Amino acid sequence: MRIRPRHVAAICVAAAVLVLPGAASADNANNSALGKDLDALLGDASLRGGQVGLVVRDADTGSVLYSRQGDSLLLPASTNKLFTSAAALEVLGPDYTFSTTVSGTGRRVGSVLIGDLYLKGTGDPTLLAKDYQDLAAKVAASGVRTVLGDLVADDTWFDSVRLGPSWAWDDEPYYYSAPVSALTVSPDTDYDAGSITVKVTPGVVGQPAKVELTPATDAVRVVDTATTSAAGTSPAVVVDRPHGSDTITVSGTIPAGGAAANEFMAAGNPTAVAASVFRKALADNGVRVVGGTSFRATPAEATRIADRKSIPLSQLQVPFLKLSNNMHAEILTKAAGRKVHGQGTWDAGLRALGDKLTGLGVDPAAMQRVDGSGLSRMDLVSSGQLTALLVAAKGRPWFQSWYEALPIAGNSERMVGGTLRNRLVGTPAANNLHAKTGSMTGVSGLSGYVTAANGQKLVFSLLENNFLAGSVRSVEDAVALRLATYNGAADTAQPRLAPRVSPQHAPADRRTALECGWTKSC
């Protein structure tokens, strides 16, 4: 399937030094071999005219080994998730779980519920179609076989604001920018809450292509004009969702006998999709709902019939951070707001998380965060603040599991290496560097932990903005590799080593190709 880059024209305005080839660090006090090498790396032509911040610290003492524009406010992209994940662990706790409940109102007469059946969510991003089947089976096991009222979907745990501040409108159709709801269903165990997989399969030459949705739902209208082309022709399938709609359009051509094409789209109304999946699950389990589907809060007097708990937050951190899941970040932000301030909003959540960041070495007043994921171009943070967080986190009881949940460079296991699994393969940074990636058009970053050649534990944060090159990840990898080969007091200047992508581990799935290529989720 043709992958379409999504470009954003907005350019951030931040106070930072222009990067010129060979420019010396203005605020790097020492003249060490490490400092000279890092200055040279940041003089790479791919960063010409851009802005950069890099801070390197000793992970145990917090002492600064290198700083270049460490206080400059820059767009963090998905490195923003470091703040969100750490603060969420402080607010919610590692054992926090999301609950989904089914309740009834009215009265029971035998197997008949004379009232409405309520499905209430609190933000669980891990719900799959099979989990709704399990909930429906519990309803059937309770003895309810007929519901004379409506199936009511309750997503009021969060507010009704679905998209974050300054999220790009042309990213709206895609899974990495899905609407945030307290009641969703995910298509697979990546747990992309509120998204739908669109599978396009060829038919007979000249005839329409077949379109299949996962999860199967009637809450989405599909307009399919795609046709099957001759075998051997190039696929040219385009999947889209017009702005503000619940319609998915499929157009173009797909060759006969060729592989199916898959696109990963955001649902226009994730609550409605979840309700439709549950209604079908009820029918599959012999429970008939006579009424329609409606949307409102569950009454206090409703009687609970079935429930489900998610995996704990400590485990959710793995798909969240390894795969840089934007929706997890936003759900955790609103969940924090609901717990602390009784409001599932971005404003309440960011205040709740910000209060905890002060205990993690960060001053929330010295930066601007308007969402949890880093999708917004209004987010502004500094490399210095990110490294302060990384140092402080080492002293928290949840640190080890959080550290292991970060992507690990050069490890080909998807849920170990994550967004770094194809980077720095076969180098001293492989299975050493634990770091969060960040990528948008004109924005990139890498922040995390690395053990130097002398055994010294280091933290670092590198943020690059406003560059014109398609990617500056080679610079990031070169910086990480230089830190991995740092030798303390015995350190000497080193030739620039070339990080590499292992051919056998070349990008082969949508998260590597999309998130780490053109979109905002890396």
Side-chain angles (χ1 to χ4, degrees):
M1 181 173 189
R2 184 166 62 93
I3 297 173
R4 295 173 295 142
R6 310 300 298 176
H7 295 289
V8 180
I11 298 177
C12 73
V13 178
V17 67
L18 292 180
V19 179
L20 300 175
S25 167
D27 53 3
N28 184 24
N30 65 64
N31 197 32
S32 67
L34 176 65
K36 291 178 180 179
D37 284 351
L38 293 177
D39 277 340
L41 292 173
L42 297 182
D44 191 90
S46 64
L47 286 168
R48 184 184 296 275
Q51 297 163 300
V52 66
L54 172 61
V55 174
V56 181
R57 298 177 188 256
D58 182 288
D60 295 320
T61 67
S63 61
V64 176
L65 278 68
Y66 178 91
S67 178
R68 182 188 186 107
Q69 296 297 304
D71 294 328
S72 293
L73 294 174
L74 299 169
L75 287 172
S78 282
T79 61
N80 191 39
K81 294 183 176 79
L82 290 170
F83 294 118
T84 302
S85 57
L89 285 165
E90 291 286 281
V91 172
L92 302 172
D95 297 327
Y96 178 85
T97 58
F98 298 91
S99 63
T100 305
T101 59
V102 182
S103 304
T105 55
R107 60 191 177 91
R108 288 269 298 272
V109 178
S111 63
V112 178
L113 174 63
I114 306 174
D116 297 321
L117 192 68
Y118 287 82
L119 174 67
K120 179 177 181 177
T122 62
D124 186 357
T126 69
L127 282 162
L128 306 174
K130 70 177 184 64
D131 298 310
Y132 283 104
Q133 288 284 340
D134 292 342
L135 278 172
K138 291 179 180 178
V139 173
S142 76
V144 173
R145 294 292 173 171
T146 303
V147 178
L148 294 184
D150 286 352
L151 172 61
V152 183
D154 178 359
D155 63 4
T156 58
W157 194 253
F158 295 163
D159 66 356
S160 59
V161 179
R162 300 294 194 218
L163 302 176
S166 193
W167 287 10
W169 71 267
D170 54 343
D171 282 332
E172 181 185 327
Y174 301 100
Y175 78 99
Y176 56 83
S177 189
V180 180
S181 171
L183 184 61
T184 61
V185 58
S186 294
D188 56 34
T189 53
D190 283 359
Y191 302 129
D192 292 312
S195 67
I196 295 171
T197 302
V198 181
K199 182 179 181 180
V200 185
T201 305
V204 178
V205 175
Q207 297 300 308
K210 178 184 176 182
V211 176
E212 180 182 356
L213 304 183
T214 302
T217 175
D218 58 9
V220 173
R221 177 171 174 252
V222 177
V223 176
D224 176 20
T225 60
T227 58
T228 305
S229 58
T233 58
S234 297
V237 175
V238 177
V239 181
D240 202 359
R241 180 170 62 80
H243 176 65
S245 79
D246 295 321
T247 299
I248 288 177
T249 62
V250 183
S251 59
T253 60
I254 186 167
N262 292 280
E263 183 62 277
F264 304 85
M265 308 298 291
N269 186 340
T271 304
V273 172
S276 73
V277 169
F278 186 53
R279 179 181 278 271
K280 180 181 183 301
L282 289 167
D284 291 344
N285 284 273
V287 179
R288 177 177 173 237
V289 180
V290 176
T293 300
S294 54
F295 306 87
R296 60 181 182 274
T298 304
E301 68 272 14
T303 301
R304 181 172 297 191
I305 299 173
D307 61 14
R308 177 190 184 271
K309 296 288 187 183
S310 72
I311 58 176
L313 178 54
S314 58
Q315 295 178 30
L316 182 64
Q317 294 280 332
V318 174
F320 171 28
L321 295 174
K322 297 288 187 186
L323 304 181
S324 199
N325 194 304
N326 290 332
M327 299 309 103
H328 293 188
E330 307 309 346
I331 286 167
L332 289 172
T333 299
K334 290 195 173 188
R338 182 77 192 204
K339 179 175 181 179
V340 176
H341 299 294
Q343 297 176 311
T345 67
W346 266 294
D347 179 68
L350 290 166
R351 282 189 285 123
L353 296 178
D355 289 344
K356 292 300 182 181
L357 287 176
T358 59
L360 290 168
V362 178
D363 179 8
M367 63 183 181
Q368 177 170 282
R369 296 177 68 242
V370 302
D371 65 7
S373 64
L375 269 172
S376 177
R377 295 209 170 228
M378 294 172 64
D379 293 318
L380 291 171
V381 309
S382 72
S383 295
Q385 292 162 330
L386 279 163
T387 55
L389 171 76
L390 294 168
V391 171
K394 289 184 82 273
R396 306 304 299 150
W398 42 258
F399 172 74
Q400 192 60 38
S401 62
W402 184 71
Y403 172 75
E404 293 298 336
L406 293 171
I408 301 175
N411 191 308
S412 62
E413 290 294 325
R414 191 162 180 269
M415 285 297 182
V416 178
T419 56
L420 283 174
R421 64 190 177 279
N422 300 310
R423 294 171 62 173
L424 292 153
V425 176
T427 72
N431 290 301
N432 173 357
L433 172 70
H434 290 228
K436 186 69 200 72
T437 53
S439 180
M440 299 194 289
T441 301
V443 178
S444 194
L446 187 66
S447 301
Y449 302 86
V450 64
T451 300
N454 67 338
Q456 187 175 1
K457 308 293 186 183
L458 305 176
V459 300
F460 73 99
S461 175
L462 173 59
L463 299 176
E464 307 111 314
N465 283 194
N466 295 344
F467 52 83
L468 298 178
S471 171
V472 294
R473 288 192 298 276
S474 62
V475 176
E476 295 167 357
D477 289 356
V479 168
L481 183 54
R482 180 61 180 92
L483 296 179
T485 57
Y486 175 65
N487 200 29
D491 193 57
T492 58
Q494 298 180 12
R496 180 167 180 174
L497 301 176
R500 61 189 178 87
V501 173
S502 173
Q504 65 267 31
H505 296 138
D509 65 72
R510 48 121 177 181
R511 280 198 179 272
T512 301
L514 290 175
E515 291 180 6
C516 300
W518 302 292
T519 73
K520 305 181 175 186
S521 307
C522 198

